[in-house]
Amino acid sequence: MATRRETKWVYEFGGAKSDGDASMKNLLGGKGANLAEMASLGLPVPPGFTITTEVCTLFYELRKTYPDGLEAEVNAALKALEARTGKAFGDAANPLLVSVRSGGRASMPGMMDTVLNLGLNDETAEGLAVLSGDRRFAYDSYRRFIQMYSDVVLGVSQDVFEEIIDEYKESRDLIFDTDIGADGWLDVIGLYKAAVSRELGAPFPSDPRDQLWGAIGAVFSSWMNERAITYRRLHSIPESWGTAVNVQAMVFGNMGETSATGVAFTRDPSTGEKRFYGEYLVNAQGEDVVAGIRTPSTISKGRRIELKADEPSLEETMPGLYRELLEVAGRLEQHYRDMQDIEFTIERGKLYLLQTRSGKRTAQAALKLAVDMCGEGLISQEEAVLRLDPAQLDQLLHPTIAEDAVRDVFVKGLPASPGAAVGRIVFDSDEAAQLAASGQSVILVREETSPEDIHGMHAAKAIVTARGGMTSHAAVVARGMGRPCVCGAGGLKIDAAQGVVRSLGRELKRGDLVTVDGAMGQMLVGEVKMIEPSMAGEFASLMAWADKLRRMKVRTNADTPHDARTARRFGAEGIGLCRTEHMFFDADRIAVVREMILAVNERGRIAALEKLLPMQRGDFVELFKIMEDLPVTIRLLDPPLHEFLPHTDEDIAAVARATGLSPASLSARSKELAESNPMLGHRGCRLGITYPEIYDMQARAIFEAALEVAAATGKAPIPEIMIPLVATRRELELTRNRVVSMAERVFRERRAQLDYLVGTMIELPRAALVAGEIALEADFFSFGTNDLTQTALGVSRDDSARFLKTYEERGVYERDPFVTIDQDGVGELVRMGCTRGRAARPALKLGVCGEHGGDPASIAFFESAGLDYVSCSPFRVPVARLAAAHAALRTKR
């Protein structure tokens, strides 16, 4: 199939010039763009070339084949790479070896595939041995290549090769891989190749060009592997972005004691502190560090002393190279104006940079970095606000372990990702996901994690590994997810088959309760005392900047004094939804509510309502006192009556005692009121129209409470009375008139008055369609996007869990529409309601009070729709404040 030939598929980097730069991340991926940028800065980057993300898209469109002209461009880039390195691809005497790596525009650590040492075969391996003067290094590299290529490209399990090595070492009384010499690796290579032939029925490929195209295809294919799909779903990365492929000349960290490989961060990615941070391994390749196969040493001497580690730091073993790396790291941070995550290799005393990217960080670190870098003049307040992902705030708003807590330390490791969590021990990622889905809190305990564990890591409250360092897969992914993590807990002895883990003579079993303290690197026995988070310091500074930058107000959904106080502490600017029916479920009230509902006439209902009036008034007094002179939106009684109906003989008997009616008549009345589809039944304004005395009582309670608080405090509350489930103008007109009439009556009785508003919740498609008519009776609209989503999509929120996940996986919905608003459907109804409502009443106040009010992606949509405020649960208020600032800033750009 022919494609556009004018398109450039391959971009070179390194040497005198690079075809790309950092601005081309969408086309070259983050890795390719940054390699080109570093090369242009004159930094020591091994040369190579990048195959663009557009090729990945076409690779799938063309059913895993390549566009016309790609092969010619790759061949030309390979020839240029040979010229830059002075080596030849496939040449036995002077072989060029390359790495083949993925590189999406968003960092996805460990989720896609990599192949190192590509180009080795029997002849080029011997040539490498002669050139390097180190046969052991050459054949160690060759066996690594066979193992990695077979796993990534040919689909032969790593276990096959690990078993061969283990048996080889055991038969010769060897302990470590490093104990195997050159001749030993030659023996292992023969066993590897025989295993591949046995598994596949074909020999291991020896042609370097065949190897190259096999690796390129495998990297593109890894974009759609299960772990990458899971990671994209968890981090909202679109499938359409694709990955680039980077082909780069190899440099070797496994050429003896003057060679090394490592990962460095320009600041601490766990805390955000301004200190050089990282790990390295002598005589190793990069995969050894990130895969957690060996526990690496620290880069800096100070960190080694702090961790009481025995292995010398890079600063101590190679002080000149440490200083060079430190200088390069400083340049990169200044250039990118962000904390950098740098992969490096030292080959026989020469430093090379293999990657730089903005480092994954915890929420705590992201907050400190943003505020500190603003203070240092690196970034503006606007940039600082945009640096903190609103979703990360969840990590900052939950408890940590109290200083005076009793710590029964089971094991200590490296503090890989801060935070604290309590849960039950599991040893398997599938089990973690299953138990978490059933509502249990679990702690995933593993020897080490791999990309295949991504679903279990996401399900777990925290992760603990016996192996791996601060830059291992477990550490990097846990920080990105905001999970507490302890790595390199070498004292752990895990027997997953028996379901036990041992440390220092003690034993815990699967299902035992433990606490993980990621900041201290400890796993503690049992549940430990926690403390509430602090809202001061850097958090207060950044949120103050966010508040200055946002346009929309942020209110809270609160039905109780506790919720209202919590929300105010988190910066809520009023209540956007008080669900009055939630006030009636207490044991001392439910019987009175049932008495009211089951009453056979108005007189009986009024008698019950007179008992409820002082209770409701007292509720509103408390809320108004807490919110002072901020607006409080109170939704009048809304729920389906069946939620209050007595269902047991005991409940019916209680109502009978209160009313004097017989249990038989009450049972008959209960059956009479039962509905086939209560969600669309006798509820909301329909209840207020058929039984107007209910809304009369609630309106009286609101106005009496507001006047009482105004008189007592000197601060007049601003009640906003919301009529639910309105579909027609007449419904709102009838209920509004009753509320206004009650307000006038109470004001006359109390000889005082105050300002108030009457509006409605837009939660039915018809209400959005005729919003212009309804607005003539309304002072405000609040979009109830929970029910609006249900009624627009014809999907029950309570029952949708059975199929929504499948719908997301198959692309029916990009995201769960009850979490992130469906902009094309439900969102269009919101826009329509806003436009038509304000056309009829320009001063109409507009807000949202569904769960979407706390979702950052939905908040961005509400900003574009012109809403005045969002309302969300108390713990989401800071998230909404920051998301509203993000939305306002991005609208300006």
Side-chain angles (χ1 to χ4, degrees), residues 75-253:
N75 288 339
L78 202 53
K79 197 167 188 63
L81 184 56
E82 289 176 326
R84 288 180 178 185
T85 59
K87 300 177 181 180
F89 194 54
D91 184 77
N94 188 22
L96 168 65
L97 304 180
V98 297
S99 62
V100 181
R101 301 173 186 261
S102 63
R105 69 170 85 169
S107 176
M108 295 172 57
M111 296 303 112
M112 290 179 286
D113 289 330
T114 293
V115 178
L116 303 180
N117 307 321
L118 189 142
L120 282 172
N121 55 30
D122 292 351
E123 292 75 24
T124 56
E126 184 58 36
L128 182 63
V130 173
L131 273 176
S132 64
D134 187 341
R135 293 179 71 246
R136 188 199 176 278
F137 148 72
Y139 290 114
D140 176 34
S141 299
Y142 190 12
R143 69 90 189 175
R144 287 172 180 267
F145 169 60
I146 295 172
Q147 186 169 343
M148 185 176 282
Y149 191 92
S150 297
D151 173 41
V152 168
V153 182
L154 303 179
V156 181
S157 171
Q158 286 270 16
D159 295 341
V160 172
F161 305 104
E162 293 295 341
E163 188 176 332
I164 289 171
I165 289 184
D166 288 345
E167 288 178 358
Y168 186 87
K169 288 188 295 189
E170 188 176 339
S171 69
R172 288 158 178 78
D173 293 326
L174 304 176
I175 298 174
F176 302 110
D177 291 1
T178 49
D179 295 331
I180 301 175
D183 291 336
W185 283 129
L186 266 171
D187 292 339
V188 170
I189 287 164
L191 295 171
Y192 273 14
K193 291 198 289 187
V196 171
S197 295
R198 188 170 57 250
E199 293 283 329
L200 302 179
F204 185 84
S206 59
D207 185 322
R209 289 183 184 270
D210 290 343
Q211 295 172 358
L212 177 61
W213 284 103
I216 290 170
V219 172
F220 280 139
S221 294
S222 70
W223 178 249
M224 293 302 293
N225 69 32
E226 188 174 336
R227 62 181 184 265
I229 291 169
T230 300
Y231 190 91
R232 288 199 299 273
R233 176 173 53 80
L234 297 177
H235 294 271
S236 301
I237 298 171
E239 179 186 309
S240 59
W241 283 5
T243 182
V245 173
N246 298 287
V247 179
Q248 189 174 22
M250 280 295 302
V251 288
F252 298 95

Side-chain angles (χ1 to χ4, degrees), residues 471-527:
T471 55
S472 65
H473 172 267
V476 171
V477 173
R479 284 195 290 269
M481 288 183 172
R483 299 291 187 275
C485 181
V486 176
C487 285
L492 284 182
K493 299 293 180 282
I494 299 168
D495 186 341
Q498 295 298 314
V500 297
V501 57
R502 301 180 180 89
S503 175
L504 299 175
R506 303 172 73 190
E507 180 178 290
L508 291 171
K509 297 182 176 63
R510 176 188 285 109
D512 284 349
L513 198 65
V514 294
T515 300
V516 173
D517 184 348
M520 296 293 290
Q522 296 175 342
M523 184 166 84
L524 312 170
V525 177
E527 186 170 356

Side-chain angles (χ1 to χ4, degrees), residues 239-401:
E239 179 186 309
S240 59
W241 283 5
T243 182
V245 173
N246 298 287
V247 179
Q248 189 174 22
M250 280 295 302
V251 288
F252 298 95
N254 59 329
M255 292 186 76
E257 297 304 307
T258 60
S259 300
T261 188
V263 177
F265 292 82
T266 55
R267 305 196 189 201
D268 190 322
S270 293
T271 66
E273 291 177 83
K274 192 174 183 178
R275 60 175 181 176
F276 196 42
Y277 176 102
E279 296 174 325
Y280 82 111
L281 284 169
V282 173
N283 197 18
Q285 289 198 320
E287 290 302 298
D288 298 340
V289 178
V290 297
I293 295 167
R294 291 164 58 187
T295 299
S297 305
T298 63
I299 282 183
S300 67
K301 178 181 177 181
R303 181 68 169 163
R304 179 186 68 76
I305 294 170
E306 183 182 319
L307 294 174
K308 298 178 181 177
D310 296 325
E311 293 296 320
S313 65
L314 181 69
E315 185 177 4
E316 293 164 300
T317 57
M318 304 179 187
L321 286 162
Y322 172 81
R323 287 192 296 272
E324 183 182 352
L325 180 61
L326 187 61
E327 189 271 330
V328 165
R331 282 185 65 189
L332 287 171
E333 181 174 281
Q334 287 290 319
H335 181 76
Y336 285 100
R337 300 184 308 120
D338 196 7
M339 179 192 77
Q340 292 300 290
D341 169 359
I342 303 162
E343 291 182 19
F344 67 91
T345 287
I346 297 167
E347 180 181 289
R348 290 183 167 174
K350 181 171 172 54
L351 175 68
Y352 293 94
L353 303 180
L354 305 183
Q355 173 169 277
T356 191
R357 60 188 173 191
S358 292
K360 295 285 183 185
R361 63 205 69 184
T362 63
Q364 178 186 345
L367 176 62
K368 182 168 179 57
L369 283 165
V371 174
D372 284 357
M373 286 185 170
C374 182
E376 294 164 20
L378 267 181
I379 58 176
S380 64
Q381 287 186 5
E382 289 85 353
E383 288 172 302
V385 166
L386 289 171
R387 287 282 172 90
L388 188 62
D389 183 345
Q392 286 184 298
L393 284 184
D394 274 345
Q395 300 170 41
L396 299 173
L397 301 176
H398 293 286
T400 53
I401 293 176

Side-chain angles (χ1 to χ4, degrees), residues 671-866:
K671 290 175 182 174
E672 179 186 325
L673 291 173
E675 296 178 303
S676 299
N677 189 359
M679 189 263 177
L680 297 177
H682 193 190
R683 55 171 286 210
C685 66
R686 300 160 193 171
L687 198 63
I689 290 170
T690 53
Y691 302 143
E693 55 273 13
I694 296 176
Y695 281 8
D696 286 351
M697 180 277 290
Q698 290 193 293
R700 174 176 282 280
I702 290 167
F703 292 121
E704 288 181 351
L707 290 173
E708 181 181 323
V709 171
T713 67
K715 293 184 177 180
I718 307 173
E720 296 184 351
I721 298 171
M722 183 158 66
I723 312 298
L725 212 72
V726 163
T728 70
R729 175 183 177 181
R730 181 61 176 158
E731 285 174 317
L732 184 56
E733 182 182 14
L734 288 170
T735 47
R736 178 192 176 95
N737 288 343
R738 299 286 297 211
V739 170
V740 170
S741 175
M742 181 57 70
E744 292 171 351
R745 189 185 314 174
V746 171
F747 292 165
R748 285 196 302 271
E749 291 169 0
R750 298 296 179 97
R751 296 182 180 179
Q753 62 181 32
L754 45 68
D755 294 332
Y756 68 95
L757 303 177
V758 180
T760 186
M761 183 181 280
I762 303 295
E763 53 193 320
L764 297 172
R766 189 184 194 279
L769 292 169
V770 298
E773 294 178 24
I774 293 174
L776 297 174
E777 304 294 335
D779 299 319
F780 67 87
F781 283 171
S782 180
F783 290 91
T785 52
N786 295 345
D787 276 359
L788 188 59
T789 297
Q790 293 194 95
T791 53
L793 300 183
V795 173
S796 164
R797 182 174 55 165
D798 296 332
D799 302 313
S800 61
R802 298 175 186 174
F803 62 86
L804 270 185
K805 185 177 180 184
T806 303
Y807 265 44
E808 287 184 76
E809 289 171 352
R810 297 188 181 179
V812 178
Y813 297 131
E814 189 174 322
R815 301 181 191 174
D816 183 337
F818 291 106
V819 175
T820 297
I821 194 163
D822 162 37
Q823 293 191 25
D824 295 336
V826 179
E828 191 59 29
L829 288 171
V830 172
R831 286 189 189 278
M832 189 182 298
C834 293
T835 303
R836 295 182 180 184
R838 281 205 169 136
R841 196 179 187 114
L844 186 71
K845 184 184 291 189
L846 299 172
V848 60
C849 59
E851 288 300 310
H852 300 102
D855 171 61
S858 302
I859 289 169
F861 166 77
F862 297 136
E863 172 72 26
S864 70

